[in-house]
Amino acid sequence: MIGESTPRPDGDAKARGRFSYTGDLWAPGLLWCVLVRSPHRHARILGVDAGAAYAVPGVRGVVTAADLPAGACHGAIVADRPVLADGVVRFAGEAVAAVAAETLQAARAGAAAVLVSYQPLEPAVDPEHAFAGPPLHPDGNVLRHIALRHGRPVRVRRDGTPVEEVVVEGLYEVPAQYQANPATDAALALPSPDGGVELHVATPYPHADRDQVAECLGLPAGMVRLMPTGAGGSGGSREDVGLTTVVGLLALRTGRPVKAVLDRDESLRAGGHRHAARMKYTHRADRDGRLLAVEAQIILDGGAYAGVSPEVIGRLIGCAAGPYMVPYAAVDAWAVRTNNAPAGAMRGPGAVQVCFAHEAQMDKLADALGMDPVELRLRNALSTGTMLTTGQVLDGPVPVGAALRAVAEAAPPAAPPAPGTLRGTGYAVGLMPLLGIEGADESSTATVRLDGGVVTVTCAAVEVGQGFVTLVRQIVDEVLGVPDAIVLQAGTALPTAGAPGVGRHTWLTAGAVEQAAREIRERLLAPVAARYGMTARLLDVRDGRIRSYDGLIDLPVDVMYEDTATVTTAGACRAPSTEPLDDAGQGNAYPAVAFSACRVVVDLDPELGTIRVVDVTGAYDAGRVLDPAQARVRVESSVAMGVGLALTEDAESVWAPPGPWDVPQVRVAAWIEEPQPGAPFGAKGLGDAAIVPVPAALAAAVRNATGLELPRLPMRPRDVVVD
Amino acid sequence: MDATILMPLSLDEAVDALARDPRALPVAGGTDLMPRVNAELVRPSALVGLAKVADLRRWGYEDGFAMLGAGLTWARLADADLAALVPALAAAANEVGTAQVRAMGTLGGNILASGRPADSLPVLAALEATVSCRSPGGVREVAPHLLEPRSGPIAEQLLRPGELITGVRVPLLRGVQEFVKAPVGAGRYLTLALVAGPVVGDVRCAVGGAHPGPVRAFEAERWLAGRMDARSGRLSDARDAADFGRLVADEVRPEAEQRAARAHLRHVVAVCARRAVQRAFGG
């Protein structure tokens, strides 16, 4: 039932290690595929000699760019990334060739035997240098630039006297963050008798992957079938289309099933991580703490290929000033091509980075004004009817003030600081545009079939760990009173459910399911209602009974099904339409925006620089909580990811994910349940908005404890030692 | 993986299995070894599972020593009875990884673990315990504090091919034992074990996580022993703890690639040593 906690169907198997991931799949005659990756960040490929690889016992096939149609490139937005590097490698870890062999060991030995001669070129690893440097790709080095200009500078008050400005500036850096999906990217390809290929991949977006793979293989889309498999988590980007294509190509070449599973080290180098960002901010406010202007220059390191960088810039630009009313904004945001691994989307893409900067600025401003940081934020908070700096008027719920007040008023942690430690408290608020933005054609479909009391839902949306299957069952239970619907993942056999993430399936696919289920309900309840001279609307289906509003009718739910053998209906749900941002970054680009606030309390050992996160208290703009347990999981995982970015994950050193000892119990000060108009049950996706303020609030808490400036993440022990 | 899996039922069977095939590796909890096997960083020809060898999980007394089986898990070492016997080892056990790792990971496995040893070995080095390495030819006792901590993986110096660690022999001391652990970033830790024996002037201190083996700070130990009052066992000056910390850091010189990181590690060693002394002697 909606609003109740339901156990996840895959939870037990995953906890016990019995869940079948792509890497666990097997087919008779299976070959293993291992990629040959570039050790150079930037180099010309002078030649690839696979002769020695074929001499390795068990090797059945080696492919390079020459085996693909000329210019076989893929990319989420712009197809600029070669499936296998063609003539030039642009990041260390880029795939140059692939080997298929009878065993994994033979494939690894074969890959090691492929001789690639490189002529190293000067790599551009700093986005500020790549920005104006020689082009690393025929498409140039600027992946997208938005020069947002909004409003007018405020120089005089209403009474004509000049405004007295308080100005704070800062330079901030956020590193790349690896998603560390529990199961790494993998694919199994089976050659089909028709000359096509069947791909088993844990992709959240089967249609886009299918189309790109078909294009790269030079096959009609119909000859590539893509079946979603059990996904081992998805922090945003999942499944490298290049890998899927290569595995498909090797299956076509060898006529045998081929499987590839990335190891953790490959996965770390292959890209798809959160964009590293460098941000320069200037905030101006009047003496009363009202924001007058936000100016910023933001550079994202897009890595070697465009990926989703243009879209991340589109999301980031609307969040750059924070959830505040800003009369004048001048924000330039660039995504720049470099010789680093291509960035992807990770929970809260774009918004997490700018939140770290704009919230640090708000604290600096509060300090300069001698004002309480919470009070300063409340004074400037967005509310319904106010405007983002993209010029979009917010017509949905905008509970910035409510969320911030909830965390500020929540009881502080009961335990006193550990002896010898400094306690610090920090606050942050963030916003996150949901769904596809800037005119993305956002719709999703689902089919609901009722057969003798058994409900089967078929949709192209993929369960990647977000709890979508549970949600569909809850909706069917809520509308039709059938608690255990069967949810089938259709892969590319059904029309697309669209790009996943940022709350999409919670809204659109769930909306399609709800609509189809409601139609069935109307159709089946109408005859029952008619018998009693009522309309179906006056009847309620709950706990296996059909009851009327006045309690006069109380029938077993089975009467609904007795006259009809099977009913099948399809539902579709479309997001509010949006438009691309113009050159000045203006336009109604976002279908909806979600907000969250966070308070973090830390105890810091000033001598050792060790930080213990004592308490994380959050308030979340949920629209409606559909399943409290699932909602908590979304929030807790977001906090863990946020702690990792803020404290442990140092991109320049050994990758160290946060452990359970780094993350405290998360307290929810408030689920703010103002329904989002147009969304099914008024609910919004939670995970993306929930992570946005976490690193910012953690940094604020450590600043509060130490008085240090701490302009970059992660905050390593040696950065926070106070002598 | 194509390795053979053997499941011996007794210590003799396990030792024989390892002696027959020098490329076989013993596996108990598997928390350190199995990830390396799966990543093919080590390629054993056989794995000798120790789960059914009950003798490895025993412990007992033997004239002034505690004999701890190599198969005791961290969780077991942290229990009250063993914590009373060897407090520093229990303190180390409480700070290892997650509950899952503590439930599976064993003392013997930790002695042989990859990376810079930071958990059991500094404690054993400070206690001057010995590790029992058994082969069909008999048992060899190796003292970790007498090995060369700076010259490559300690496990290679400690164990000969075909030997199995069956346990450790820890002297039972009536003095004070302290263990301090500090994260230094990127998943790395520094640890320090301090033991003040029953006799005044008997101070031993070992640092883990700084080098491939646990490093004893012999000179700093002698200095601190000289600062102890002959009758009360107290330190002569409140500043002695901090001075001792600096001496330990100078002697141990933790390794790191970058200069800034090295400076931080030295600072952390000094703070850990000072705190251990303050806890042990008060002040």
Side-chain angles (χ1 to χ4, degrees), chain B residues 161-172:
Chain B
E163 281 183 335
L164 176 71
I165 293 184
T166 55
V168 297
R169 214 173 121 84
V170 187
L172 292 171

Side-chain angles (χ1 to χ4, degrees), chain A residues 104-105 108 605 607-608 610 648 650 652-654 656 660-661 716-718 721 723, chain B residues 1 40 97-98 182-187 189 258 260-261 264 267-268 271 274-275:
Chain A
L104 179 57
Q105 283 75 13
R108 282 182 179 158
D605 182 324
E607 277 188 311
L608 295 176
T610 52
T648 70
D650 184 354
E652 288 170 20
S653 183
V654 184
W661 52 84
R716 301 165 300 182
R718 67 170 136 126
V721 169
D723 271 329
Chain B
M1 200 189 73
E40 298 197 342
T98 59
V184 290
Y189 291 88
Q258 296 168 298
H264 178 65
H267 166 77
V268 170
V271 172
R274 191 202 75 217
R275 287 185 183 178

Side-chain angles (χ1 to χ4, degrees), chain A residues 301-326:
Chain A
D301 180 350
Y305 299 104
V308 291
S309 292
E311 198 209 321
V312 172
I313 288 285
R315 275 187 211 281
L316 172 151
I317 201 80
C319 307
Y324 307 112
M325 290 182 286
V326 177

Side-chain angles (χ1 to χ4, degrees), chain A residues 44-63:
Chain A
R44 193 162 289 124
I45 300 173
L46 302 174
V48 183
D49 180 2
Y54 277 108
V56 173
V59 168
R60 296 287 171 262
V62 181
V63 291

